[in-house]
Amino acid sequence: MTVLRGLWPEVQDNCTSLGLMLLLVLFMGLARVVTRQQLHRFTMIHTFVLEFLATFQLCCCTHELQLLSEQEPAHPTWPLTLVYFFSLVHGLTLVGTSSNPCGVMMQMLLGGMSSETGALRLSAQLIGALCSRYCVSVLWSLGLSKYHLDERSFACRNPIQVDLPKAIITEAICSFIFHSALLHFQEVRTKLRIHLLAAIITFLVYTGGSLTGAVFNPALALSLHLKCFDEAFLRFFIVYWLAPSLDFPFKTVM
């Protein structure tokens, strides 16, 4: 009984984080419904808002997932389960959006998206990533959980635990595997494809998370590690922006 009482505050904090993520997904879903109903005639605005909401949702949830994963790094089962679950949630709710600059640039190189639309989506992702960081900072300042420390969101918590060449290779390989899977699974039934992609994301986070965080998304990296970009811009630019784009020539010929 004493053990259960000792675990109860931790369970409450985990439930608080989980509840925040689910509420965020719900609100973003409602915002997407309103956007599709009210802005469908304004194609460019419609595209921008949907991409912004998708990136905002992805980044906010990942901030919270990263927070949970840091509580018990030696026992990653629960965080990895949440990574898989929310990868499914994002796959189901963010249909038609990319939330990843690498995905947009790949579509542009393959001729599936005009440069104007691509630039619009990229700007929406950048703004969504920055806004999500501000939103997370405000939420954590409320102190809803003992994990939520406002000052944490402003500190640089360097996720790169290996030397620069290994970090570049890790992010490049993660990006290649993920986007190759996206291309090859296009003909797979939607329900099965979402599970396959969620499994791949979870696998990549498990294998590469201890090396670089396995982000393979420049917008997400900017949101998660903005302070680190400010303190060591070149290193983080190479690892999290340049490295995931190095394999574009291979993706376009597959």
Side-chain angles (χ1 to χ4, degrees):
M1 196 67 178
T2 304
V3 174
L4 290 176
R5 288 175 181 171
L7 289 174
W8 180 243
E10 183 177 343
V11 173
Q12 285 183 311
D13 290 327
N14 278 275
C15 288
T16 299
S17 291
L18 185 59
L20 281 175
M21 287 187 281
L22 292 176
L23 280 174
L24 178 72
V25 171
L26 177 61
F27 284 132
M28 292 301 101
L30 292 175
R32 281 190 292 272
V33 171
V34 173
T35 299
R36 291 190 175 101
Q37 291 178 345
Q38 303 298 324
L39 300 177
H40 66 279
R41 291 173 295 177
F42 309 98
T43 305
M44 301 300 282
I45 299 176
H46 178 264
T47 299
F48 180 90
V49 174
L50 288 180
E51 195 67 48
F52 169 86
L53 293 174
T55 306
F56 185 87
Q57 173 181 314
L58 175 66
C59 291
C60 285
C61 288
T62 307
H63 272 284
E64 203 68 34
L65 287 173
Q66 185 183 56
L67 182 66
L68 290 175
S69 68
E70 292 173 354
Q71 306 310 312
E72 289 190 64
H75 301 88
T77 304
W78 172 238
L80 287 173
T81 301
L82 290 179
V83 168
Y84 180 81
F85 173 74
F86 278 95
S87 296
L88 289 178
V89 171
H90 296 323
L92 289 169
T93 59
L94 305 184
V95 177
T97 58
S98 173
S99 310
N100 189 333
C102 292
V104 172
M105 290 187 286
M106 183 175 68
Q107 290 183 57
M108 292 171 64
L109 288 173
L110 292 172
M113 182 182 298
S114 67
S115 57
E116 292 81 5
T117 302
L120 187 70
R121 287 179 179 267
L122 289 173
S123 61
Q125 291 169 356
L126 176 62
I127 296 173
L130 295 176
C131 288
S132 69
R133 185 176 177 85
Y134 175 76
C135 177
V136 166
S137 176
V138 172
L139 287 174
W140 286 353
S141 68
L142 299 177
L144 300 175
S145 162
K146 70 176 182 181
Y147 302 152
H148 292 169
L149 301 175
D150 186 41
E151 63 273 13
R152 179 190 181 282
S153 62
F154 296 102
C156 172
R157 302 172 70 86
N158 192 345
I160 303 176
Q161 303 299 318
V162 292
D163 56 37
L164 186 59
K166 290 181 180 178
I168 293 173
I169 292 172
T170 299
E171 286 296 313
I173 291 176
C174 287
S175 179
F176 177 78
I177 293 174
F178 176 69
H179 288 99
S180 297
L182 280 177
L183 289 175
H184 284 90
F185 292 163
Q186 286 180 351
E187 303 302 322
V188 178
R189 288 187 300 110
T190 302
K191 291 182 179 180
L192 177 59
R193 181 174 69 248
I194 292 173
H195 280 278
L196 290 173
L197 290 174
I200 289 174
I201 291 171
T202 305
F203 169 75
L204 293 176
V205 171
Y206 175 71
T207 55
S210 60
L211 305 177
T212 62
V215 182
F216 52 92
N217 182 331
L220 179 59
L222 183 65
S223 180
L224 293 175
H225 309 300
L226 181 62
K227 188 65 175 179
C228 296
F229 273 93
D230 183 46
E231 296 179 4
F233 176 79
L234 183 60
R235 180 179 179 86
F236 277 75
F237 173 81
I238 293 173
V239 173
Y240 293 112
W241 284 7
L242 185 60
S245 308
L246 291 177
D247 49 4
F248 278 168
F250 299 101
K251 295 170 186 172
T252 55
V253 298
M254 292 181 66

